[in-house]
Structure formats: structure tokens, C-alpha cells
Amino acid sequence: MSAKSEDMNGHSSSEIVASDRESTPASTSHEADPIADPGLHHPPPRLTDVDPKAERRAERQVAGMFSLASILLVLSIVAYIVFEIAPDDPDDGVSVGDVQISNFTLGITLGLATLLIGLGAVQWARALMKSPELVHERHELRSDDNIREAALADFETGTEETGFGRRKMIRNSLLGSLALLPLPAVVLLRDLGPANGPSPVDAKETTIWSEGVRVVTDVTFQPIRAADLELGQLVNAMPETFEDLPDHGPERINARAKVPVMVIRMAPEELHVAEGRENWHVDGIVAYSKICTHVGCPISLYERTTHHMLCPCHQSTFDLADAGKVIFGPATRSLPQLPLAVDGEGYLIAQSDFHEPVGPTYWER
Ligand code: FES
């Protein structure tokens, strides 16, 4: 089948339906088709094209999927009503379980309904819709002179009607505002330069650990007596000063992200003490940052016999008996070690802040 038509610009264009699935290239007329054989692949007829039973079966499949999708959509409304997220008692909060059940049922019903509508549409197109192959000749991209002149005349008429040339005050104020439009973006580039006050880099490189700050247990904030730690024991710990930070304030949130440490006791002879860190442990008790140096997951999967610490996120493994060195995985930097000492009452204290930034490696570090 073939057809010739005129486009909107008056150009002659030819649209040729080269073949339907039932047609053959031989049926194409050379006179009507400027390209007699465009080299299209002619697939064999589908089963649904030649077997009425297969066609009806495909039709039932598509209708079945659409109907099932309708049922699921109705069920999603039922689920929304039945598993309502609202506390029974207005004084109680919403329970996490209610939210999970509601999300799960809504997700399943809406997700499956959408999937079935999509699958039904695909099956309809693949098995039942006619799929003629088309060749569409394009006209020249350049318009002819008449059209170009008409477009120019339209533009001039538009300019005249808007009064852009005549109303100088409006025109000039508009041009002025357009000229200023990029300026805010340029001003915002200033944020890429040095910051006022402590730079984000400085903020990353220091923590609230400092000389004499007691090491306390996380959550319960109990000071840790060195003598109470057993061989092989690991305790998650914080600086005592963390508790004094205002609740929910940015200082507390920032500190929470940087200061957690793991305190581990191992036999002193198992430690490979790095040069310059000879006095950083207390009778085999060492402390390392709990923040992975890869992308900052909190780590605490400790293998007591090997003193290896595994990060659950991407399996970086650190050797806590050997200065927290990376022995496996994507992290490239050792875990920062916190120098420890004991105070007069035998409690663990920090000798200083960390000597290197905690957390993910970034830029040149
Ligand atoms: S965050 Fe620890 S290995 Fe990636």
C-alpha cells in the first residue's frame, strides 16, 4: 500500500507503507514508491496473524491482565481504608507496624496493577496490533523563499503589535533585567571560595575529643574504668562532653557523626604499635574511630581472634592490632586512632583529639 500527500508547507512528500505483515515486497508498486526496495526486513507472519484460535487466546490474555489490574486497583483502595495509618488513641503516636503494613499492601497492589497494565499493553502490541513498516521521505529542511518571507513578515508584525520597538521604557527595563539575570548565579559562585568562620574542612578535621576528656559508654554515658575491660572486649564509646551538647542542636548532630569510637582490649603483645604511638594504648586498650574511612558507615563487626574489624557496607576490613590499617576492601585510609590514657581514678581519658580527620576520605586525603 502506498500514499502520497502534501505537507503543511506545500511540499510534496511521499509516505510509503512498504509492507504490512501480510503483504510481500512484490506487491509494492515501483511507480508509486520512490524507493522500491528500502531494504526493510520482512518478518514472517505471527501465529496470531494466521491462527484465529491463537488470536483469541492472545485477546483473552490481554483482557485478563487489564481486568486483574482493575481488581488490584480496587484492592488498593480497600487496603488504604483497612490498614489506615492512624493511632487508635489520639494520644498515641502512629505505630511503625501500621505504617509498614499500609505501605506494603499499597505497594503490592498498586505495583502489580501498574505492571499488569504495562504487560497487557506490550502483549497487545506484540501479538495483536498490526505492525506495518513505513518509509517516510522528508522534505528539504530549508523552507522556500515564500515561506521565509512570510515568517519574517509575521515576526515584524509581532514586534509591531507588542510595541517592543515603540515602548522604549518597557524594552529597556526588560533588557536591563535580563542582563542582570545571570548575576545572582555569579554571586553564588562565591560559596565555592573560602568560607567565613570555620571552613567546612576545618569542621571535618576536628572533633570535641580533647586532652583529659573521659571516655564514656555510648547511650548510657558511664565512664569506663580501664581495669573493668576484659581481654577481647569491645565497647562503643563517646566523649563525656557529648552529653552536655544541646539536644537536637547542630553541634550535637555534627558531633554524633564524628566522635563515636570503639574501645578494645587486647593482649599488649598482640599489638603492633606504630612508631610515634607507643603511649597511645593503656595496657593493650586501644580506641579507634567507629566511622569507616570509605564512605562513613558506622562499623562494629569485630572478629575477636584476629582483631579484624569489618565494615558492613562494602566489606572494608581494618586490623585493629596494627594501627587500624586497611587489609581488604575499598577504604584507602586506616581508621584514625584516639590516643588514650587513664586519669587518677583509673578511668580512660583521651590524650588529645584525633591526629587525623575521621570519616570518609575526600579530596586529597
Ligand atoms: S563505608 Fe565502609 S567499606 Fe564502604
Side-chain angles (χ1 to χ4, degrees):
M1 164 179 145
S2 67
K4 280 204 166 188
S5 63
E6 295 257 312
D7 67 13
M8 284 172 58
N9 296 329
H11 285 282
S12 171
S13 70
S14 298
E15 181 177 287
I16 302 129
V17 178
S19 73
D20 200 330
R21 285 187 184 273
E22 296 85 4
S23 68
T24 63
S27 67
T28 307
S29 158
H30 280 233
E31 280 177 16
D33 301 343
I35 303 173
D37 181 5
L40 295 175
H41 170 64
H42 302 285
R46 301 164 300 189
L47 188 58
T48 47
D49 290 330
V50 293
D51 181 356
K53 277 189 187 164
E55 185 183 1
R56 279 196 297 279
R57 193 164 54 240
E59 198 174 345
R60 281 196 300 273
Q61 285 170 352
V62 174
M65 284 190 254
F66 288 159
S67 306
L68 199 49
S70 303
I71 294 170
L72 284 164
L73 289 171
V74 172
L75 285 179
S76 72
I77 296 170
V78 174
Y80 177 77
I81 295 167
V82 172
F83 303 112
E84 188 185 16
I85 305 177
D88 298 333
D89 181 338
D91 294 335
D92 293 342
V94 172
S95 88
V96 176
D98 286 351
V99 175
Q100 285 175 336
I101 291 174
S102 177
N103 285 349
F104 178 76
T105 49
L106 281 177
I108 286 285
T109 49
L110 291 175
L112 281 179
T114 312
L115 179 69
L116 283 169
I117 290 172
L119 289 177
V122 169
Q123 175 67 347
W124 185 6
R126 286 174 57 88
L128 296 171
M129 286 186 191
K130 300 292 181 200
S131 55
E133 290 154 2
L134 304 174
V135 176
H136 186 186
E137 277 198 11
R138 292 178 185 276
H139 60 75
E140 241 191 304
L141 287 179
R142 183 188 187 282
S143 302
D144 67 25
D145 290 342
N146 290 340
I147 291 178
R148 289 160 69 89
E149 276 163 25
L152 196 57
D154 285 348
F155 179 76
E156 281 165 1
T157 306
T159 308
E160 177 56 30
E161 285 174 355
T162 57
F164 189 76
R166 231 174 337 111
R167 300 187 190 282
K168 289 195 170 52
M169 193 162 67
I170 292 180
R171 185 194 62 190
N172 294 344
S173 56
L174 172 63
L175 292 178
S177 62
L178 289 179
L180 290 174
L181 196 57
L183 268 189
V186 174
V187 171
L188 290 177
L189 287 178
R190 181 185 169 279
D191 287 355
L192 297 176
N196 292 326
S199 76
V201 175
D202 292 340
K204 280 188 173 72
E205 296 192 345
T206 58
T207 75
I208 58 172
W209 284 108
S210 62
E211 184 180 354
V213 171
R214 270 191 175 164
V215 182
V216 298
T217 53
D218 197 358
V219 183
T220 53
F221 299 108
Q222 296 302 310
I224 301 170
R225 195 192 296 271
D228 292 344
L229 279 178
E230 294 175 9
L231 207 58
Q233 188 177 0
L234 179 148
V235 176
N236 290 313
M238 300 287 281
E240 187 178 33
T241 46
F242 177 79
E243 210 184 348
D244 304 329
L245 297 175
D247 279 351
H248 310 302
E251 285 177 340
R252 193 179 185 95
I253 293 170
N254 287 334
R256 179 39 105 178
K258 296 191 295 180
V259 296
V261 292
M262 304 166 291
V263 179
I264 309 104
R265 175 165 221 152
M266 55 188 86
E269 61 273 16
E270 291 179 301
L271 275 176
H272 302 282
V273 179
E275 195 181 330
R277 299 188 181 187
E278 291 81 3
N279 66 343
W280 283 21
H281 70 101
V282 175
D283 198 20
I285 301 174
V286 284
Y288 291 98
S289 166
K290 192 177 164 60
I291 312 300
C292 182
T293 55
H294 179 218
V295 290
C297 286
I299 56 180
S300 60
L301 295 173
Y302 179 51
E303 197 175 37
R304 193 169 164 157
T305 51
T306 59
H307 305 301
H308 290 170
M309 177 62 70
L310 176 74
C311 175
C313 289
H314 314 100
Q315 282 70 55
S316 285
T317 308
F318 304 88
D319 187 352
L320 301 191
D322 191 6
K325 282 184 185 155
V326 181
I327 55 171
F328 180 77
T332 55
R333 214 163 51 90
S334 304
L335 283 178
Q337 185 175 355
L338 184 73
L340 289 180
V342 281
D343 62 14
E345 298 173 64
Y347 289 106
L348 291 174
I349 55 171
Q351 290 187 34
S352 65
D353 196 355
F354 292 99
H355 286 219
E356 57 191 313
V358 299
T361 300
Y362 63 94
W363 300 316
E364 73 278 7
R365 80 165 156 91

